[in-house]
Amino acid sequence: MKAKSIKCLDLFSGCGGMSLGLSWARHGQLAIESVAAIDIWAAACETYERNLGIAPRVERVSAELVSEVLDQVGSVDLIVGGPPCQGFSTSGKRALSDKRNHLVKSFLDAVELAQPKAFVMENVTGFTTFQNGHLFDEVVQRAMALGYQVHPGVLLASRFGVPQRRRRFILVGTRSGTFRFPGRIDTDVSSDGLLEVDQKTDAGFSLVSFYDATSDLPRLAAGEQVDRYSKAPQNDFQRWIRTGSSKPSDHVSPNHNPKFVELLSHIPQGKSAFDPDVFREIPKRLRPRSGFANSYARIRGSQPAPTITRNFTTPSSANCIHPRQHRALSLREGARCQSFPDTFEFMGSMSDKRLQIGNAVPPLLARAIGNALLELCF
Ligand SMILES: C[S@@+](CC[C@H](N)C(=O)[O-])C[C@H]1O[C@@H](n2cnc3c(N)ncnc32)[C@H](O)[C@@H]1O
C-alpha cells in the first residue's frame, strides 16, 4: 500500500532539522512531507533545498506570503516552526501585540490562515516565563480561540537517541484527537503548570554518549580538517549516521593559537577553567580573564554532549572543548551531536554552517514528535 503523506508547512525552517526529522516519522502508512518552507536566510535555505529537495521561499514570514504559498501548494495538514523570540521585561499584558514578539504572532497568523489539523511551535525553554508568562498565556489563548487543544511540554533530546542534553519547549496544537508527548509519560508538573519532562536524570533511557556519536572520526589538531573516516563504525549509532556516506564533510576544527591550546590542555573532562580546583592549577600566564560559568569547559565523553549552541566552536563562549583533544568541536562533531546524518550537507561559510547546526531542532527529536503526531492526530 502507498504511504499517505501529511502535508507540512515549515516556517522559520533554517537548514531543515525539523523537516528532516519529521520526514523520518511513520505510523502505518502515514508519513509527513514538508511541501513548503520559509526562512529569511539564504544559506540555510540552500542547505534545506540541497538536502530536502524543495526550495524554501527566502523571505520574511508574513500573512501575505503564507497566503501565496498556500495558493501554490493547496491546504496543509501541519504547520511547524520555531519563531525566534527574545526574553525582555515588560509590565504590560498585551505581549502578542508587542512588536518584539511579531514573529510569534506571524506564526499564529499562519495557523489561522491555513487551519491545519495540527501545529508544532518550538522555542527556548524560557518561553513560558517571557514577559512574566504573558506571552505564553496569550499564545495559548489565541490557539484555543482558533479551535485548537494545546499541549505544552519541555523535551530533553537525549531521551530520543540524540547524543546531547538539549531541552526545547514544544507547543503542540491539535484540532481533534488527543496528543501525548513521546517517551515516558512524564513526571513533574512544574510550578507554572507546564508538563515538564524530568530534566535532572536520563535514568532508564538508552543514552548515546559523545564518544558513541563521534569516536570513528579522525583526530584533529586545532585548525586541521580531515575528510576520511579513521575507523569502521563502532556501534549502531555510527552505522546509522554514516549510512550512504563514504567520507565525513566539515570535519574541521577551529584554529586556536598555541597559548590557547596550552590552556585547554589544563582543563579536565567535565570541568571548566573557572572551577576553583582547575583555575588554581593553570599557570597565571594562561588563565582566562573572564567568561561565562559554562565557558572554557571540556565535554565529558562518556555522556551525551551539553547543548550545542550557535557558539559551539568557541570555548570562551560555550561548553565545547573536545573530551580528549585540545580544541573545540569540529562542525561535523556538532552536526553529529545534533543527530544530522553524515550525508547531510551544510551550505554557506563556516560561520553559516555553525549557526545552522546550532539553531536546528535535532532531527531525531523531531522524528519522535512526528511519530506521536501521526499516531494520535491524523
Ligand atoms: C531556530 S532557527 C530554525 C531552525 C529550524 N527549525 C531547524 O530545525 O533547522 C530560526 C530561523 O528563523 C529564521 N528567521 C528569523 N527571522 C525571520 C523572519 N522574519 N522570517 C523568516 N525567517 C526568519 C532564521 O533565519 C533562522 O533560520
Side-chain angles (χ1 to χ4, degrees), residues 86-104:
Q86 284 155 5
F88 52 85
S89 54
T90 169
S91 51
K93 290 194 175 177
R94 315 239 347 236
L96 265 180
S97 44
D98 188 307
K99 275 205 300 285
R100 290 167 292 186
N101 290 325
H102 74 284
L103 298 179
V104 176

Side-chain angles (χ1 to χ4, degrees), residues 11 18 44 59 86 153 168 185 190-192 248 259 282 286 363:
L11 300 177
M18 181 70 135
E59 284 178 63
Q86 284 155 5
R168 291 304 281 180
I185 297 300
S190 64
S191 51
D192 52 9
K259 192 173 157 200
I282 300 176
L286 297 176

Side-chain angles (χ1 to χ4, degrees), residues 12-18 39-41 59-61 84 103 359-361:
F12 313 98
S13 50
C15 67
M18 181 70 135
D39 197 289
I40 200 175
W41 181 13
E59 284 178 63
R60 283 177 198 285
V61 170
L103 298 179
N359 276 345
V361 177

